[in-house]
mmCIF file of all heavy atoms in Angstrom:
data_model
loop_
_atom_site.group_PDB
_atom_site.id
_atom_site.type_symbol
_atom_site.label_atom_id
_atom_site.label_comp_id
_atom_site.label_asym_id
_atom_site.label_seq_id
_atom_site.Cartn_x
_atom_site.Cartn_y
_atom_site.Cartn_z
ATOM 1 N N VAL A 477 3.534 -44.271 -15.848
ATOM 2 C CA VAL A 477 3.523 -42.818 -16.050
ATOM 3 C C VAL A 477 3.225 -42.154 -14.716
ATOM 4 O O VAL A 477 2.206 -42.463 -14.077
ATOM 5 C CB VAL A 477 2.470 -42.402 -17.099
ATOM 6 C CG1 VAL A 477 2.496 -40.887 -17.295
ATOM 7 C CG2 VAL A 477 2.719 -43.123 -18.423
ATOM 8 N N ASP A 478 4.098 -41.245 -14.275
ATOM 9 C CA ASP A 478 3.927 -40.516 -13.015
ATOM 10 C C ASP A 478 3.565 -39.067 -13.293
ATOM 11 O O ASP A 478 4.232 -38.378 -14.072
ATOM 12 C CB ASP A 478 5.214 -40.564 -12.181
ATOM 13 C CG ASP A 478 5.518 -41.968 -11.699
ATOM 14 O OD1 ASP A 478 4.599 -42.609 -11.176
ATOM 15 O OD2 ASP A 478 6.664 -42.420 -11.858
ATOM 16 N N VAL A 479 2.501 -38.605 -12.625
ATOM 17 C CA VAL A 479 2.068 -37.207 -12.730
ATOM 18 C C VAL A 479 1.960 -36.664 -11.312
ATOM 19 O O VAL A 479 0.989 -36.957 -10.603
ATOM 20 C CB VAL A 479 0.711 -37.079 -13.453
ATOM 21 C CG1 VAL A 479 0.315 -35.615 -13.577
ATOM 22 C CG2 VAL A 479 0.773 -37.748 -14.823
ATOM 23 N N PRO A 480 2.947 -35.897 -10.821
ATOM 24 C CA PRO A 480 2.940 -35.455 -9.409
ATOM 25 C C PRO A 480 2.369 -34.062 -9.193
ATOM 26 O O PRO A 480 3.108 -33.077 -9.171
ATOM 27 C CB PRO A 480 4.432 -35.481 -9.064
ATOM 28 C CG PRO A 480 5.112 -35.142 -10.371
ATOM 29 C CD PRO A 480 4.218 -35.629 -11.478
ATOM 30 N N PRO A 481 1.041 -33.874 -9.031
ATOM 31 C CA PRO A 481 0.533 -32.548 -8.664
ATOM 32 C C PRO A 481 0.884 -32.211 -7.220
ATOM 33 O O PRO A 481 1.289 -33.070 -6.448
ATOM 34 C CB PRO A 481 -0.984 -32.703 -8.850
ATOM 35 C CG PRO A 481 -1.238 -34.152 -8.645
ATOM 36 C CD PRO A 481 -0.029 -34.861 -9.186
ATOM 37 N N CYS A 484 -0.160 -34.344 -3.728
ATOM 38 C CA CYS A 484 -0.459 -35.751 -3.941
ATOM 39 C C CYS A 484 0.272 -36.209 -5.191
ATOM 40 O O CYS A 484 0.871 -35.424 -5.910
ATOM 41 C CB CYS A 484 -1.964 -35.992 -4.063
ATOM 42 S SG CYS A 484 -2.741 -35.145 -5.452
ATOM 43 N N GLY A 485 0.211 -37.501 -5.454
ATOM 44 C CA GLY A 485 0.856 -38.061 -6.629
ATOM 45 C C GLY A 485 -0.090 -38.978 -7.363
ATOM 46 O O GLY A 485 -0.885 -39.702 -6.760
ATOM 47 N N PHE A 486 -0.010 -38.975 -8.681
ATOM 48 C CA PHE A 486 -0.884 -39.788 -9.510
ATOM 49 C C PHE A 486 -0.006 -40.583 -10.480
ATOM 50 O O PHE A 486 0.936 -40.031 -11.069
ATOM 51 C CB PHE A 486 -1.859 -38.901 -10.277
ATOM 52 C CG PHE A 486 -2.570 -39.601 -11.404
ATOM 53 C CD1 PHE A 486 -3.673 -40.397 -11.156
ATOM 54 C CD2 PHE A 486 -2.125 -39.471 -12.703
ATOM 55 C CE1 PHE A 486 -4.330 -41.047 -12.192
ATOM 56 C CE2 PHE A 486 -2.772 -40.108 -13.748
ATOM 57 C CZ PHE A 486 -3.875 -40.898 -13.487
ATOM 58 N N SER A 487 -0.286 -41.868 -10.629
ATOM 59 C CA SER A 487 0.484 -42.681 -11.563
ATOM 60 C C SER A 487 -0.435 -43.687 -12.250
ATOM 61 O O SER A 487 -1.438 -44.132 -11.680
ATOM 62 C CB SER A 487 1.628 -43.410 -10.868
ATOM 63 O OG SER A 487 1.142 -44.360 -9.939
ATOM 64 N N PHE A 488 -0.069 -44.028 -13.472
ATOM 65 C CA PHE A 488 -0.810 -45.002 -14.260
ATOM 66 C C PHE A 488 0.168 -46.057 -14.750
ATOM 67 O O PHE A 488 1.315 -45.744 -15.104
ATOM 68 C CB PHE A 488 -1.490 -44.336 -15.460
ATOM 69 C CG PHE A 488 -2.055 -45.313 -16.457
ATOM 70 C CD1 PHE A 488 -3.264 -45.949 -16.219
ATOM 71 C CD2 PHE A 488 -1.367 -45.615 -17.623
ATOM 72 C CE1 PHE A 488 -3.781 -46.861 -17.121
ATOM 73 C CE2 PHE A 488 -1.879 -46.513 -18.539
ATOM 74 C CZ PHE A 488 -3.091 -47.144 -18.289
ATOM 75 N N GLY A 510 -3.630 -50.237 -14.241
ATOM 76 C CA GLY A 510 -3.897 -49.771 -12.888
ATOM 77 C C GLY A 510 -3.603 -48.302 -12.715
ATOM 78 O O GLY A 510 -2.889 -47.685 -13.503
ATOM 79 N N VAL A 511 -4.168 -47.747 -11.642
ATOM 80 C CA VAL A 511 -3.969 -46.344 -11.311
ATOM 81 C C VAL A 511 -3.724 -46.247 -9.807
ATOM 82 O O VAL A 511 -4.329 -46.984 -9.018
ATOM 83 C CB VAL A 511 -5.196 -45.489 -11.725
ATOM 84 C CG1 VAL A 511 -6.450 -45.955 -11.025
ATOM 85 C CG2 VAL A 511 -4.934 -44.003 -11.460
ATOM 86 N N THR A 512 -2.811 -45.366 -9.421
ATOM 87 C CA THR A 512 -2.478 -45.153 -8.013
ATOM 88 C C THR A 512 -2.579 -43.675 -7.691
ATOM 89 O O THR A 512 -2.075 -42.835 -8.439
ATOM 90 C CB THR A 512 -1.057 -45.651 -7.688
ATOM 91 O OG1 THR A 512 -0.973 -47.045 -7.959
ATOM 92 C CG2 THR A 512 -0.703 -45.405 -6.229
ATOM 93 N N LEU A 513 -3.227 -43.355 -6.576
ATOM 94 C CA LEU A 513 -3.378 -41.975 -6.120
ATOM 95 C C LEU A 513 -2.829 -41.867 -4.706
ATOM 96 O O LEU A 513 -3.265 -42.589 -3.802
ATOM 97 C CB LEU A 513 -4.852 -41.552 -6.144
ATOM 98 C CG LEU A 513 -5.162 -40.150 -5.608
ATOM 99 C CD1 LEU A 513 -4.480 -39.083 -6.472
ATOM 100 C CD2 LEU A 513 -6.664 -39.917 -5.551
ATOM 101 N N ALA A 514 -1.859 -40.975 -4.520
ATOM 102 C CA ALA A 514 -1.269 -40.750 -3.204
ATOM 103 C C ALA A 514 -1.795 -39.448 -2.637
ATOM 104 O O ALA A 514 -1.673 -38.390 -3.261
ATOM 105 C CB ALA A 514 0.258 -40.701 -3.300
#
Side-chain angles (χ1 to χ4, degrees):
V477 181
D478 293 312
V479 182
C484 62
F486 166 81
S487 65
F488 169 79
V511 60
T512 300
L513 176 63

